[in-house]
Amino acid sequence: MTLRILKGHIVQTPSFGALDIAENAFLVTENGKTVGIFNALPDRFGDGEIVDCGDRLIMPSFADTHFHAPQYPMLGMGMDLPLLDWLNTYTFKTEYEFKDKDFAREVYKRLAAELIANGTTRVCVFSSLHREATIVLFEEFEKAGLTGYAGKVNMDRNSGELLTETTEESEKETLRWLDEVSDFRRIKPVLTPRFTPTCSDRLMAFLGRLAKERDLPVQSHLSENTSEIAWVRELHPDCSQYWESYAKFGLFNDKTMMAHCVYSDERERKALKDNGVWVSHCPDSNVNLISGTAPVRRMIDDGVKVTLGSDIAGGAQLEMYRVVTAAIRASKIKRIETDWNDAFLTVAEAFWLGTAAAAPFFGAKGGFAAGEPLHAIVVDDASLPPPARRLSVIERFERLPYLMTKDNIVAVYSDGKKVK
Ligand code: GUN
Ligand code: FE
């Protein structure tokens, strides 16, 4: 039994709108799992190892619920193109390079280190369609201390000459990949039909059956861009809305993470809610690819389970604290667009989106809940602009998403272990 006790200012947003602060308090963990937060340390923990964080902030680490690992090499590129042109001009060519396992290892090692350095410890990530490079992704992410889900991409149509697998190959490689990753402990497989335009009906039906048989999660894209939506309408004239092209194959339930949902109207939002589907809101990407402004606050108010994604490389920042500010800005633009009808996200609400909101998708409780493996960052803000007076902990917390960099993150705990 190992007792480790972090002492400092503990700041968390365990539920939407809540901001819990315990100054100079003790976060007690036993074998990497949170026991509780105490203002004074109870005697029974007296022989634990105390990690004194001084005047620093101890906060939950981030969850990035949607991004594309093989797009990391093209970060910040192709930003003058809308989605479908961007996919055909840059993205598919970049992902094609992951046929090379050694290149994949170099990129994924570096990406994993960057994620941890920036305080992301939970991920739901797309690989490319390459089985071997996907195994490398599992290896490097798990080695770095990341946890969550990663998926070999399935795409058997409309993805150019370079990056097409036949339906048979896609099915066979998926089954083989699932066999090969069965021993990973922290990174688990998620079925990943890229999006409806790149997946035949037969492939979708196969993945839907597989998800059901093996109780696997699913990730994909939904209602990101108007041209994409029009295309899906042509491909599936039987579906009155985009989500139905997933639902009809059993790919739309409470283990499904759908990225974007920029154009999800009331009916589609109801379908998301009624089916328990998770949404990964990707505000940086939605602006970069000129997709639109997602009704993020409306989705939350409607009871949809919303989380946050960097969507690199549609998003150009893997720093989730920056994606938190992008979500705030998107919500404020939506407020302007709706004649001040829709509410905007406060800092605490957006921080919740980037942390605790996603915890249940990963089978956990949000924040520093008792019994949960510790996912935390320790932030030293001493290098930030010095105000004339001493700031409150709330004020210090509120400027972090706007100002902090990875240099301010002095320690990261993932699944109970110190990984930075
Ligand atoms: N839709 C299908 N593929 C992609 C992708 O790689 N990025 C984004 N943002 N949307 C997609
Ligand atoms: Fe994406």
Side-chain angles (χ1 to χ4, degrees), residues 66 68 71 83 86-87 91 95 194-195 221 224 228 260 285 289 311 314:
H66 180 75
H68 300 261
Q71 294 174 20
L83 175 67
W86 173 83
L87 285 173
T91 314
E95 292 193 14
R194 182 171 205 122
F195 67 154
H221 296 90
E224 175 177 6
E228 170 210 22
H260 303 298
S285 169
L289 299 181
D311 193 28

Short mmCIF file of all heavy atoms in Angstrom, two decimals, residues 66 68 71 83 86-87 91 95 194-195 221 224 228 260 285 289 311 314, ligand 1:
data_model
loop_
_atom_site.label_atom_id
_atom_site.label_comp_id
_atom_site.label_asym_id
_atom_site.label_seq_id
_atom_site.Cartn_x
_atom_site.Cartn_y
_atom_site.Cartn_z
N HIS A 66 -11.05 13.83 -29.42
CA HIS A 66 -11.04 13.64 -30.87
C HIS A 66 -9.81 14.29 -31.51
O HIS A 66 -9.67 15.52 -31.52
CB HIS A 66 -12.29 14.23 -31.52
CG HIS A 66 -12.30 14.04 -33.02
ND1 HIS A 66 -12.55 12.83 -33.61
CD2 HIS A 66 -12.01 14.88 -34.04
CE1 HIS A 66 -12.45 12.96 -34.92
NE2 HIS A 66 -12.11 14.20 -35.21
N HIS A 68 -6.43 13.29 -34.67
CA HIS A 68 -5.89 12.36 -35.66
C HIS A 68 -4.37 12.31 -35.50
O HIS A 68 -3.67 13.23 -35.95
CB HIS A 68 -6.24 12.84 -37.07
CG HIS A 68 -7.73 12.94 -37.31
ND1 HIS A 68 -8.44 11.96 -37.96
CD2 HIS A 68 -8.62 13.88 -36.96
CE1 HIS A 68 -9.71 12.31 -38.00
NE2 HIS A 68 -9.86 13.47 -37.41
N GLN A 71 -1.99 12.99 -38.41
CA GLN A 71 -2.01 14.34 -39.00
C GLN A 71 -1.06 15.28 -38.25
O GLN A 71 -0.93 16.45 -38.60
CB GLN A 71 -3.44 14.89 -39.00
CG GLN A 71 -4.36 14.12 -39.94
CD GLN A 71 -5.82 14.55 -39.85
OE1 GLN A 71 -6.14 15.64 -39.39
NE2 GLN A 71 -6.72 13.69 -40.29
N LEU A 83 -13.07 21.67 -45.43
CA LEU A 83 -12.88 20.25 -45.10
C LEU A 83 -12.56 19.32 -46.27
O LEU A 83 -11.53 18.65 -46.27
CB LEU A 83 -14.13 19.74 -44.35
CG LEU A 83 -14.13 18.25 -44.03
CD1 LEU A 83 -13.06 17.89 -43.02
CD2 LEU A 83 -15.49 17.80 -43.52
N TRP A 86 -9.42 20.07 -48.11
CA TRP A 86 -8.30 19.87 -47.18
C TRP A 86 -7.97 18.38 -47.05
O TRP A 86 -6.81 17.99 -47.06
CB TRP A 86 -8.71 20.50 -45.85
CG TRP A 86 -7.80 20.30 -44.69
CD1 TRP A 86 -6.68 21.02 -44.37
CD2 TRP A 86 -7.96 19.34 -43.63
NE1 TRP A 86 -6.14 20.56 -43.19
CE2 TRP A 86 -6.91 19.54 -42.72
CE3 TRP A 86 -8.91 18.33 -43.37
CZ2 TRP A 86 -6.76 18.76 -41.56
CZ3 TRP A 86 -8.77 17.58 -42.23
CH2 TRP A 86 -7.71 17.78 -41.34
N LEU A 87 -9.02 17.55 -46.98
CA LEU A 87 -8.79 16.11 -46.89
C LEU A 87 -8.05 15.61 -48.13
O LEU A 87 -7.07 14.88 -48.03
CB LEU A 87 -10.13 15.36 -46.76
CG LEU A 87 -10.84 15.40 -45.40
CD1 LEU A 87 -12.22 14.75 -45.51
CD2 LEU A 87 -10.02 14.73 -44.31
N THR A 91 -4.50 15.93 -46.30
CA THR A 91 -4.65 14.98 -45.22
C THR A 91 -4.39 13.54 -45.65
O THR A 91 -3.60 12.83 -45.02
CB THR A 91 -6.08 15.11 -44.66
OG1 THR A 91 -6.34 16.50 -44.50
CG2 THR A 91 -6.20 14.41 -43.33
N GLU A 95 -1.45 11.05 -44.28
CA GLU A 95 -1.73 9.76 -43.61
C GLU A 95 -1.12 8.59 -44.36
O GLU A 95 -0.73 7.57 -43.77
CB GLU A 95 -3.26 9.59 -43.43
CG GLU A 95 -3.85 10.58 -42.44
CD GLU A 95 -5.27 10.25 -42.01
OE1 GLU A 95 -5.74 9.12 -42.25
OE2 GLU A 95 -5.91 11.15 -41.43
N ARG A 194 -14.20 6.10 -40.70
CA ARG A 194 -13.73 7.49 -40.78
C ARG A 194 -14.90 8.48 -40.78
O ARG A 194 -14.98 9.34 -39.94
CB ARG A 194 -12.89 7.70 -42.03
CG ARG A 194 -12.36 9.12 -42.09
CD ARG A 194 -11.35 9.38 -43.16
NE ARG A 194 -10.58 10.51 -42.72
CZ ARG A 194 -9.27 10.53 -42.54
NH1 ARG A 194 -8.55 9.49 -42.85
NH2 ARG A 194 -8.67 11.59 -42.10
N PHE A 195 -15.75 8.35 -41.77
CA PHE A 195 -17.06 9.02 -41.79
C PHE A 195 -17.85 8.40 -42.93
O PHE A 195 -17.28 7.68 -43.76
CB PHE A 195 -16.99 10.55 -41.83
CG PHE A 195 -16.44 11.24 -43.07
CD1 PHE A 195 -16.84 12.54 -43.37
CD2 PHE A 195 -15.52 10.63 -43.91
CE1 PHE A 195 -16.35 13.22 -44.48
CE2 PHE A 195 -15.01 11.31 -45.02
CZ PHE A 195 -15.42 12.59 -45.30
N HIS A 221 -17.17 10.95 -37.41
CA HIS A 221 -17.46 12.37 -37.61
C HIS A 221 -18.94 12.55 -37.96
O HIS A 221 -19.50 11.72 -38.67
CB HIS A 221 -16.63 12.94 -38.76
CG HIS A 221 -15.16 12.93 -38.54
ND1 HIS A 221 -14.35 11.88 -38.89
CD2 HIS A 221 -14.33 13.86 -37.99
CE1 HIS A 221 -13.08 12.17 -38.58
NE2 HIS A 221 -13.05 13.36 -38.03
N GLU A 224 -20.26 18.00 -39.81
CA GLU A 224 -19.17 18.97 -39.60
C GLU A 224 -19.27 20.14 -40.55
O GLU A 224 -18.94 21.28 -40.19
CB GLU A 224 -17.83 18.23 -39.78
CG GLU A 224 -16.59 19.09 -39.70
CD GLU A 224 -15.30 18.30 -39.82
OE1 GLU A 224 -15.36 17.08 -40.08
OE2 GLU A 224 -14.22 18.90 -39.64
N GLU A 228 -20.24 18.28 -46.85
CA GLU A 228 -20.18 16.89 -46.36
C GLU A 228 -21.60 16.36 -46.11
O GLU A 228 -21.95 15.25 -46.50
CB GLU A 228 -19.36 16.87 -45.06
CG GLU A 228 -19.38 15.56 -44.30
CD GLU A 228 -19.23 15.77 -42.78
OE1 GLU A 228 -19.53 16.88 -42.28
OE2 GLU A 228 -18.85 14.81 -42.08
N HIS A 260 -17.65 16.88 -33.78
CA HIS A 260 -18.17 18.11 -34.42
C HIS A 260 -19.63 18.43 -34.13
O HIS A 260 -19.92 19.29 -33.33
CB HIS A 260 -17.89 18.11 -35.92
CG HIS A 260 -16.44 17.96 -36.22
ND1 HIS A 260 -15.51 18.87 -35.81
CD2 HIS A 260 -15.73 16.96 -36.83
CE1 HIS A 260 -14.30 18.47 -36.15
NE2 HIS A 260 -14.40 17.31 -36.78
N SER A 285 -10.78 23.50 -34.76
CA SER A 285 -10.92 22.92 -36.09
C SER A 285 -12.09 23.54 -36.86
O SER A 285 -11.99 23.83 -38.05
CB SER A 285 -11.12 21.41 -35.94
OG SER A 285 -11.51 20.83 -37.15
N LEU A 289 -11.19 25.12 -40.52
CA LEU A 289 -11.68 24.51 -41.76
C LEU A 289 -12.96 25.19 -42.24
O LEU A 289 -13.67 24.65 -43.11
CB LEU A 289 -11.89 23.00 -41.58
CG LEU A 289 -10.62 22.20 -41.20
CD1 LEU A 289 -10.93 20.72 -41.08
CD2 LEU A 289 -9.50 22.41 -42.22
N ASP A 311 -8.96 17.88 -32.38
CA ASP A 311 -9.07 17.53 -33.80
C ASP A 311 -7.82 17.92 -34.58
O ASP A 311 -7.94 18.37 -35.73
CB ASP A 311 -10.32 18.15 -34.45
CG ASP A 311 -10.61 17.54 -35.82
OD1 ASP A 311 -10.23 16.37 -36.05
OD2 ASP A 311 -11.18 18.24 -36.69
N GLY A 314 -6.95 19.34 -38.14
CA GLY A 314 -7.95 20.36 -38.49
C GLY A 314 -7.82 21.47 -37.45
O GLY A 314 -7.78 22.66 -37.77
N1 GUN B 1 -13.94 14.01 -41.69
C1 GUN B 1 -13.41 12.89 -42.23
N2 GUN B 1 -12.09 12.83 -42.00
C2 GUN B 1 -11.78 13.90 -41.29
C3 GUN B 1 -10.56 14.39 -40.74
O1 GUN B 1 -9.50 13.79 -40.86
N3 GUN B 1 -10.63 15.56 -40.05
C4 GUN B 1 -11.80 16.24 -39.88
N4 GUN B 1 -11.81 17.36 -39.20
N5 GUN B 1 -12.96 15.82 -40.41
C5 GUN B 1 -12.94 14.66 -41.10
#
